[in-house]
Structure formats: C-alpha cells, structure tokens
C-alpha cells in the first residue's frame, strides 16, 4: 500500500514547522509506522539539528532530486527511534535548484517505501513552498495565536485549497495564562478566522528548546506537555481522529510558587 | 390624468408595487390576448412575490369590459395565486391619491421608474464561501458575499458590496468614483473601507456584532446601525439597485 505525503507549512517563519515535523514524524514512528521526514528548507537546514542527526549527513535532498545519489544513500536512520528516517536539506544551495517535477519523482519513490513522508516546508509562499506542496496528499498548517501568523496561515490555506489539498490546523506556542488574561488570542479566535479542521493545540513549553539542544526527541520526553500534544496529533493522523482535542490550561499553582508569591518573588 | 399616463405607454399594461400589493394599469381597448400576454410576462418573474397579494386593477374611466376583467382575475388567481383582485373605483382612487403623487414624483425623473424594477436588470456577482487573506475579488457590478471576508482579503466592486457574514478585510465599493455606493455587512469590522474616492481613516467600532451600513456623507464614510437606521425603509416600492 502507498504511503501518504504530508506537508507542514505556515507562511510565516519561526512558528514551529520544523519542531512539528520532527515531533509528529517521531511520534508516528513510535506508533509503528515507517516514517521519512524531509527537510525542504534548502539553504537553511534545521531538521537534522532538531533530530540530533547533523553529524551523519553525507547526501541531501538536492543530491537525490538532481540524481547525484540514490534515495537510500541520502536517508539517515535515527538511532533511538526505529523506522524514523531523515532526508536533510542542503545547506549551500538556494531554493531554485529543485524543480517541482524532480520533487514529484522522488516523492513517488518515498511514498512506495514509507507509510508517512513528512515535508518540512520553508517559510514563505514562493518556490520553496511550491516544491514542498507539489507532491503533498495532505497538509498541516502551523500557526501561533497572533494576528500576523494567522494572516499568513490564512493565505497559505487559500493556496492549498487552490491545489485541492485540504489542510488541517495546529496552533502552536499557546500560553494558557496569557489566554486566560485576555492577552493572547484563544484557539477559538484563531478558528473563527481560519475555519479549517483542528488537528491539535500545542502549548509553549521550555522542553522544546531543551530537546532541540540535546537532540532528544520531544515526544520521548514524557513530562513535556508539547511532546504529549504532538503524540496526540500523530495519533489523530494515524487513524484515531476521535481523540479529543485538549485545550492547554494554566498550570495548577504548586507549593513553591505559592510560597514565592507570598514572599513577593513573583507577581 | 392617470388615463393620459396609460395611453402614453407603448405597452398595454403597466405594473407597479403599491403598499402591500400591486397596481395593474391597462388599456382595455387593446386586444385581450395582448393584454393577457403582457400581464403574464410581467407577473412571471414575480411569482414568488405575488402569492396572496392584493392587486388593484385600473382600466381607466371606461365602462364595460366585464369579460376582460373576469379573464384577468382568473389568470391572476389561477396562475399567480394572488390574494384578490379589486377594480380601481372612485373610492379606491381616493386612497390612491397617494399613489397618484408617487406617479408625479417619479415622472419628475427622466426615466420611467414605474416599471423599472420589472424591466431593468441589476447585475450582481453573488458568491458564497470564505474569502481568505491574499485573495482578491473584483467586479464591475454589485458584489454579494454569503460568507466571511478575512483580514487581508480584498473586495472591489463597481457597485455596492453586501457581506452576509463577518467583514474583516478591505473593501472598495463604487469603484472608481461612485460615492453613492454603499457597503453593508452583518458583522462589520473591515480593515479599510473605500467608497468612490473616499477612504475611511478610522472605522467606527461602536456597532460590533450588528449589521452595519456604510455610505459617504460630506466626503466622509459614515457607518450606521442598519436595523436601527433602516436606510431603505423610505423607499416605498421595489426598486432596482
Ligand atoms: N511549543 C513550543 N514551545 C516553545 N518553543 C517552541 C515551540 N515550538 C517552537 N518553538 C521554538 O520556536 C522556534 C522556531 O521553531 P521552528 O524552528 O520549529 O519554527 P519553523 O517554523 O520551522 O521556523 P522557520 O520558518 O525558520 O523554518 C525554535 O526556537 C523552537 O524551539
Ligand atoms: Mg523550519
């Protein structure tokens, strides 16, 4: 059976595409799927670092598309998670070195070998975006609860529909305390404008940075709320759509924070 | 006077909306088949409006024609389900004074508006769905969107713009210079409004969540609560926009 190609995209930069690609890819592999994550951000490769695989790169996606190597030579196997593979971006080229036709050819091959192929798209809606969505069966749009990210996500959603790809939404970097205070848009506000299927809500979580720096997959850190959210997202993708969406809530005030509040150490 | 109006008409039959019904003015000296054909042609596009309405029939100050009147009544009731047909009489013409004055009022304009809403065409682009950021819709006619217009979306119309939903994007009605155009939305929160040559600087947000009607007054864009103001309430008969 053929696998599925899922593009992760956002329009705006820095909202969590690479984090989501790495986490959802890892979580899908932990569920027992054969997964390839592809870094389509040519010239600004990141996914290898987030997955802690940067030292093992020999070939990259540009080499594969331009037939300088076989797909199998460019696939890097993750050591901790079985069945998780990375095809890195090249750091030296620019985005024009790939053509949609070339990407489609490689995508077809990837589809025949993997259950899920997840493409980490670059920011923007130009050539790099084009190359990332050309072979996609599905799309995950990442946005953060702020006006400019929503605006860009909306633009991308329109472009995806124009290509007959139905996108689903992940709202990332939610800070429940700010939402409760009314200082951050709630996911309902975001949904009001974007009105597409919601795939998951991911809270702001310091563990994301820790995981990037240590190369330890977020979804393997059991205490990480963002990691848990991505695992639920992966389950929803992987045939369990009924898993309820959990809305990130403010942390219960623990003993120590109460003490520090009393001492006037926090506001 | 009404008689002269009728005979000045090229067609045998005239129809217009009066109050809660219609007034049908015709020249009974024309062949019956012509009259019935014209009545049918006039009522056909109004089928959905004519059900159970009252029709006042005015054949002028002439006697006879009972057969013609009977046939017209039969046609209107059987084919268009009108509620009742009464003949224009002295008594009714007293009531009809009002409509007499509307005729005068309209005869002031150089266009024959008494049938205008039946014979004129009004062009509108009617779309449904959500208009997203970066999407542009342009039309020379009126524009009606049954759906929402997101921030970053742009609508441009030669005529009026009506949004049956939330308007959060940018709109330009009366493009390029028709300052009589209007913009209306059920939820009116646009980022920018332009009507003709007038651009809104700051959009009044006191009507959030209410249907709002925006027009140009004194070279400024004015927003009003549509339900409260009823801007079209003063127009007494259906009129082509
Ligand atoms: N849920 C989260 N909690 C805390 N930090 C996060 C979260 N998601 C992403 N980040 C941080 O935000 C930054 C941007 O994330 P990431 O690189 O995944 O975004 P991107 O959309 O891929 O960016 P680019 O457009 O540059 O490719 C990173 O430093 C990442 O660690
Ligand atoms: Mg990235």
């Amino acid at each position: 059976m053929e696998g599925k190609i899922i593009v992760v995209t956002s329009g705006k930069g820095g909202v969590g595409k690479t984090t989501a690609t790495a986490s959802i890819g890892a979580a899908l592999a932990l569920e027992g799927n054969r997964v390839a994550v592809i870094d389509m951000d040519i010239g600004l490769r990141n996914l290898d670092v987030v997955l802690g695989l940067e030292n093992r790169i020999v070939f990259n996606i540009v080499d594969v598309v331009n037939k300088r190597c076989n797909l199998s030579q460019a696939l890097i196997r993750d050591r901790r998670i079985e069945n998780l593979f990375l095809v890195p971006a090249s750091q030296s080229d620019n985005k024009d070195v790939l053509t949609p036709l070339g990407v489609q050819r490689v995508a077809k091959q990837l589809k025949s070998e993997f259950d899920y192929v997840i493409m980490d798209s670059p920011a923007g809606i130009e050539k790099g975006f084009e190359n990332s969505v050309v072979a996609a069966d599905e799309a995950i749009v990442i946005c953060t609860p702020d006006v400019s990210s929503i605006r860009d996500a909306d633009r991308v959603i329109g472009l995806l529909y124009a290509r007959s790809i139905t996108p689903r939404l992940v709202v990332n970097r939610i800070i429940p305390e700010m939402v409760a205070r009314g200082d951050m848009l709630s996911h309902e506000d975001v949904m009001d404008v974007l009105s597409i299927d919601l795939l998951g809500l991911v809270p702001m979580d310091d563990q994301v940075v820790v995981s990037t720096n240590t190369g330890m997959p977020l979804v393997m850190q059991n205490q990480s709320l963002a990691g848990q959210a991505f695992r639920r997202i992966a389950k929803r993708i992987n045939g369990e759509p009924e898993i309820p969406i959990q809305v990130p809530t403010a942390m219960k005030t623990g003993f120590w924070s109460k003490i520090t509040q009393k001492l006037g150490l926090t506001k | 006077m009404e008689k002269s109006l009728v005979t000045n008409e090229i067609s045998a039959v005239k129809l217009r909306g009066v109050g809660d019904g219609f007034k049908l003015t015709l020249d009974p000296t024309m062949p019956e088949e012509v009259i019935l054909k014209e009545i049918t042609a006039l009522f056909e596009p109004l089928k959905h409006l004519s059900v159970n309405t009252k029709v006042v029939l005015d054949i002028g100050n002439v006697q006879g024609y009972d057969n013609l009147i009977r046939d017209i009544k039969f046609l209107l009731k059987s084919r268009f389900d009108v509620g009742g047909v009464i003949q224009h009489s002295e008594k009714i013409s007293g009531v009809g004074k009002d409509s007499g004055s509307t005729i005068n009022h309209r005869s002031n304009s150089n266009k024959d508006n008494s049938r205008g809403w039946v014979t004129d065409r009004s062009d509108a682009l009617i779309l449904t769905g959500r208009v997203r950021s970066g999407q542009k819709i342009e039309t020379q006619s009126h524009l009606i969107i049954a759906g929402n217009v997101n921030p970053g979306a742009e609508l441009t119309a030669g005529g009026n713009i009506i949004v049956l939903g939330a308007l959060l994007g940018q709109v330009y009605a009366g493009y390029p210079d028709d300052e009589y155009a209007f913009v209306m939305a059920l939820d009116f929160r646009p980022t920018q409004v332009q009507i003709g040559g007038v651009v809104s600087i700051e959009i009044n947000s006191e009507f959030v969540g209410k249907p709002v009607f925006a027009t140009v007054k004194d070279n400024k864009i004015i927003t009003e609560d549509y339900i409260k103001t009823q801007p079209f309430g003063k127009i007494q008969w259906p009129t082509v926009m």
Side-chain angles (χ1 to χ4, degrees):
Chain A
M1 209 187 80
E2 273 214 326
K4 254 187 204 146
I5 300 192
I6 304 175
V7 61
V8 177
T9 185
S10 67
K12 190 172 153 72
V15 297
K17 291 179 293 296
T18 302
T19 306
T21 304
S23 303
I24 294 170
L28 282 170
L30 288 172
E31 297 273 315
N33 299 288
R34 271 179 70 79
V35 179
V37 293
I38 320 293
D39 193 343
M40 297 297 286
D41 201 349
I42 314 299
L44 290 169
R45 79 175 184 220
N46 272 168
L47 192 54
D48 52 319
V49 180
V50 173
L51 286 168
L53 298 172
E54 71 268 32
N55 296 330
R56 297 179 34 211
I57 296 177
V58 181
F59 294 109
N60 59 53
I61 184 72
V62 176
D63 296 325
V64 183
V65 172
N66 292 338
K67 300 185 179 170
R68 285 194 290 262
C69 72
N70 294 328
L71 176 59
S72 58
Q73 290 174 284
L75 283 164
I76 303 169
R77 171 200 286 273
D78 191 282
R79 288 216 179 89
R80 283 157 308 215
I81 301 177
E82 214 185 331
N83 289 329
L84 177 63
F85 293 81
L86 164 74
V87 180
S90 92
Q91 183 69 337
S92 54
D93 298 296
N94 69 40
K95 293 181 168 71
D96 295 335
V97 301
L98 294 185
T99 62
L101 225 61
V103 174
Q104 264 173 326
R105 179 179 52 82
V106 175
K108 212 169 164 193
Q109 200 182 342
L110 282 162
K111 251 171 115 150
S112 67
E113 293 177 28
F114 292 91
D115 300 315
Y116 291 99
V117 179
I118 307 185
M119 304 254 186
D120 180 14
S121 111
I125 51 172
E126 295 84 27
K127 192 103 193 269
F129 169 79
E130 212 65 47
N131 284 329
S132 309
V133 302
V134 67
D137 301 304
E138 293 176 14
I140 299 173
V141 172
I142 313 282
C143 91
T144 54
D146 67 89
V147 172
S148 64
S149 166
I150 295 169
R151 188 80 61 97
D152 290 1
D154 195 31
R155 178 92 174 98
V156 159
I157 290 166
L159 295 173
L160 290 166
Y161 274 122
R163 288 168 176 72
S164 306
I165 302 171
T166 304
R168 288 188 283 178
L169 184 70
V170 169
V171 185
N172 187 25
R173 304 185 69 142
I174 297 173
I175 305 175
E177 293 82 1
M178 287 182 72
V179 176
R181 281 201 306 269
D183 291 336
M184 183 179 263
L185 297 175
S186 70
H187 73 278
E188 284 105 341
D189 297 329
V190 179
M191 294 297 289
D192 260 359
V193 173
L194 299 182
S195 69
I196 58 172
D197 278 355
L198 184 61
L199 191 55
L201 303 172
V202 182
M204 187 75 138
D205 183 353
D206 290 346
Q207 290 299 312
V208 173
V209 182
V210 175
S211 126
T212 303
N213 292 340
T214 59
M216 168 77 164
L218 190 63
V219 290
M220 290 179 83
Q221 303 184 21
N222 289 330
Q223 75 287 11
S224 161
L225 292 177
Q228 291 166 18
F230 280 120
R231 289 200 73 152
R232 287 193 300 272
I233 287 169
K235 281 194 202 298
R236 285 183 201 111
I237 293 170
N238 194 36
E240 294 179 69
E242 69 286 351
I243 292 179
I245 304 274
Q246 280 184 28
V247 180
T249 47
M251 291 264 242
K252 284 195 204 85
T253 321
F255 173 71
W256 281 106
S257 56
K258 269 184 199 148
I259 291 284
T260 50
Q261 263 167 14
K262 274 202 180 120
L263 295 172
L265 296 175
T266 61
K267 56 175 177 114
Chain B
M1 192 199 131
E2 290 224 329
K3 174 87 171 117
S4 71
L5 244 170
V6 172
T7 46
N8 283 343
E9 286 293 314
I10 299 155
S11 54
V13 181
K14 252 175 38 151
L15 175 70
R16 68 166 200 268
V18 177
D20 56 352
F22 296 98
K23 186 171 179 185
L24 194 59
T25 311
L26 58 91
D27 178 359
T29 59
M30 297 289 278
E32 176 170 337
E33 57 189 278
V34 173
I35 291 172
L36 294 180
K37 218 171 126 189
E38 286 200 22
I39 290 175
T40 307
L42 288 172
F43 271 87
E44 196 63 41
L46 303 168
K47 250 183 180 158
H48 56 295
L49 291 173
S50 62
V51 176
N52 278 332
T53 53
K54 191 174 68 192
V55 176
V56 177
L57 188 60
D58 181 5
I59 60 165
N61 292 326
V62 287
Q63 296 300 310
Y65 300 107
D66 290 346
N67 282 349
L68 174 67
I69 289 163
R70 192 197 58 221
D71 291 347
I72 292 174
K73 282 185 179 176
F74 179 75
L75 172 71
L76 290 174
K77 285 188 178 167
S78 63
R79 181 142 178 198
F80 299 106
D81 294 322
V82 304
V85 181
I86 41 172
Q87 211 182 328
H88 184 84
S89 66
E90 285 309 308
K91 193 167 147 258
I92 292 167
S93 78
V95 179
K97 274 267 155 57
D98 247 341
S99 49
S101 70
T102 58
I103 291 172
N104 288 338
H105 164 73
R106 267 179 283 121
S107 58
N108 288 340
S109 70
N110 49 13
K111 194 171 143 201
D112 176 20
N113 280 331
S114 61
R115 279 178 19 131
W117 59 287
V118 177
T119 52
D120 275 9
R121 285 181 51 232
S122 177
D123 281 328
L125 175 63
I126 308 178
L127 301 174
T128 180
R130 187 174 285 266
V131 190
R132 295 186 182 275
S133 173
Q135 295 178 339
K136 284 185 193 174
I137 293 169
E138 288 171 17
T139 173
Q140 294 183 343
S141 57
H142 303 299
L143 178 59
I144 300 172
I145 308 268
N148 290 2
V149 180
N150 279 1
E154 287 176 42
L155 310 180
T156 304
N160 307 312
I161 295 178
I162 299 173
V163 178
L164 301 171
L167 169 57
L168 308 181
Q170 192 175 322
V171 288
Y172 191 162
Y175 172 86
D177 55 13
D178 178 8
E179 280 164 23
Y180 292 103
F182 66 81
V183 177
M184 201 192 128
L186 297 186
D187 181 4
F188 188 85
R189 288 178 278 154
T191 43
Q192 198 194 79
V193 177
Q194 182 163 359
I195 299 176
V198 183
V199 186
S200 61
I201 310 296
E202 244 171 79
I203 293 139
N204 198 328
S205 62
E206 62 180 301
F207 308 119
V208 167
K210 286 181 182 165
V212 166
F213 183 71
T215 45
V216 172
K217 277 192 192 112
D218 301 329
N219 225 27
K220 266 201 212 119
I221 289 178
I222 304 292
T223 53
E224 289 165 298
D225 180 332
Y226 178 76
I227 301 294
K228 226 163 126 190
T229 326
Q230 298 228 12
F232 304 118
K234 293 137 222 154
I235 302 175
Q236 294 303 331
W237 57 89
T239 303
V240 171
M241 202 152 78

